Amino acid sequence: MNQAITNVEGMIFDLDGTLIDSMPAWENIGSDFLKKHGIAPPNDLNETIKTMSFAESARYFIEFYGVAMTEEQVGDEINGMIRENYARHIALKPFVKEALDQYLKQGIKMGILTATHKTLTELVLRRFGLQNHFEFILTSGMTGLPKSQPEIYHQAVAQLELPAQQIAIFEDALYCIRAARESGCHIIGVFDEASKNDWDTIKNSSDWAIMSFKELLK
């Protein structure tokens, strides 16, 4: 890693947009869900739900649009709609496997912190033979916290049982980077097409920013 980031013994990775190229699959999922229920979605729906956890967006669909389902039913339906993509189509971002293999060999403890449901996370990691690389998977659903809340990062850091200054957090979204900052860990911004408009701010808000995982290979 670059000279600014030394003594890293642990790493926490976001999943979507960081390790896997899945943001296009999520882009219209809220709109598709509402259409399925006979509701015309507004043009700015993606912007509205972007920083919400699964539970928060489910609650929003129920309360704001009158979808006659429970939060759990909404979550299950959306997971079902996206599952095929995780099972077959979504790709790892370039050089992710090589970088994770390298860190595993170095004995670095790694975890996943994601807003995506645990079953989908496990599904895609298993597909690429990566499930044994990680000490834990922590999700917004498991904690009841969205990734805009610093508390979810504190919970992830606690799972690694290392001092914050020995941990690097990898994120692609600006709102996540801002929340992760509160953890006291090193922050590595990862470029993703979905957040390219924030890239300059992401670079300024991170300790290090990478366009590709290739930059991390020794």
Side-chain angles (χ1 to χ4, degrees):
M1 309 194 74
N2 79 340
Q3 285 155 5
I5 305 168
T6 54
N7 303 321
V8 169
E9 301 292 332
M11 295 177 174
I12 295 167
F13 295 90
D14 169 54
L15 182 68
D16 299 272
T18 297
L19 296 181
I20 62 174
D21 193 12
S22 56
M23 297 312 285
W26 285 102
E27 196 175 5
N28 297 310
I29 197 79
S31 300
D32 292 345
F33 172 79
L34 289 179
K35 285 178 193 165
K36 205 172 162 192
H37 291 271
I39 299 160
N43 293 334
D44 64 351
L45 181 67
N46 286 349
E47 202 52 41
T48 304
I49 64 175
K50 183 169 81 171
T51 64
M52 293 182 186
S53 68
F54 243 105
E56 286 175 325
S57 54
R59 205 173 306 131
Y60 176 71
F61 292 144
I62 293 162
E63 291 173 3
F64 196 81
Y65 292 101
V67 174
M69 297 168 77
T70 65
E71 283 179 29
E72 192 176 355
Q73 286 170 333
V74 173
D76 286 348
E77 185 169 312
I78 290 172
N79 279 328
M81 288 165 69
I82 201 113
R83 185 180 176 88
E84 181 72 5
N85 276 316
Y86 278 74
R88 294 177 185 276
H89 306 303
I90 287 167
L92 279 181
K93 292 181 92 167
F95 301 101
V96 161
K97 176 90 165 67
E98 294 87 337
L100 294 176
D101 286 347
Q102 168 180 286
Y103 295 138
L104 190 68
K105 282 197 189 103
Q106 290 170 0
I108 289 172
K109 293 167 76 174
M110 295 182 283
I112 297 269
L113 177 61
T114 178
T116 296
H117 198 279
K118 192 175 184 207
T119 54
L120 294 179
T121 303
E122 289 172 336
L123 184 67
V124 78
L125 291 178
R126 203 160 45 240
R127 233 179 91 212
F128 295 112
L130 291 172
Q131 69 272 38
N132 295 327
H133 285 55
F134 300 101
E135 310 263 324
F136 67 87
I137 295 168
L138 190 66
T139 73
S140 290
M142 292 160 68
T143 60
L145 295 163
K147 289 187 69 187
S148 54
Q149 296 293 322
E151 173 55 29
I152 198 170
Y153 290 91
H154 292 304
Q155 290 192 22
V157 167
Q159 297 233 23
L160 281 182
E161 299 179 333
L162 290 167
Q165 59 270 28
Q166 291 181 10
I167 296 171
I169 297 177
F170 293 72
E171 283 284 1
D172 66 297
L174 182 58
Y175 74 95
C176 294
I177 285 167
R178 286 176 170 155
R181 266 266 158 250
E182 306 283 319
S183 68
C185 299
H186 302 286
I187 307 298
I188 300 180
V190 179
F191 180 81
D192 189 70
E193 199 61 33
S195 49
K196 66 180 177 187
N197 293 342
D198 294 326
W199 184 236
D200 285 341
T201 316
I202 286 169
K203 285 193 284 191
N204 291 331
S205 307
S206 305
D207 297 303
W208 195 23
I210 59 168
M211 292 295 293
S212 163
F213 276 78
K214 188 176 188 179
E215 296 166 51
L216 304 175
L217 298 180
K218 289 247 169 83

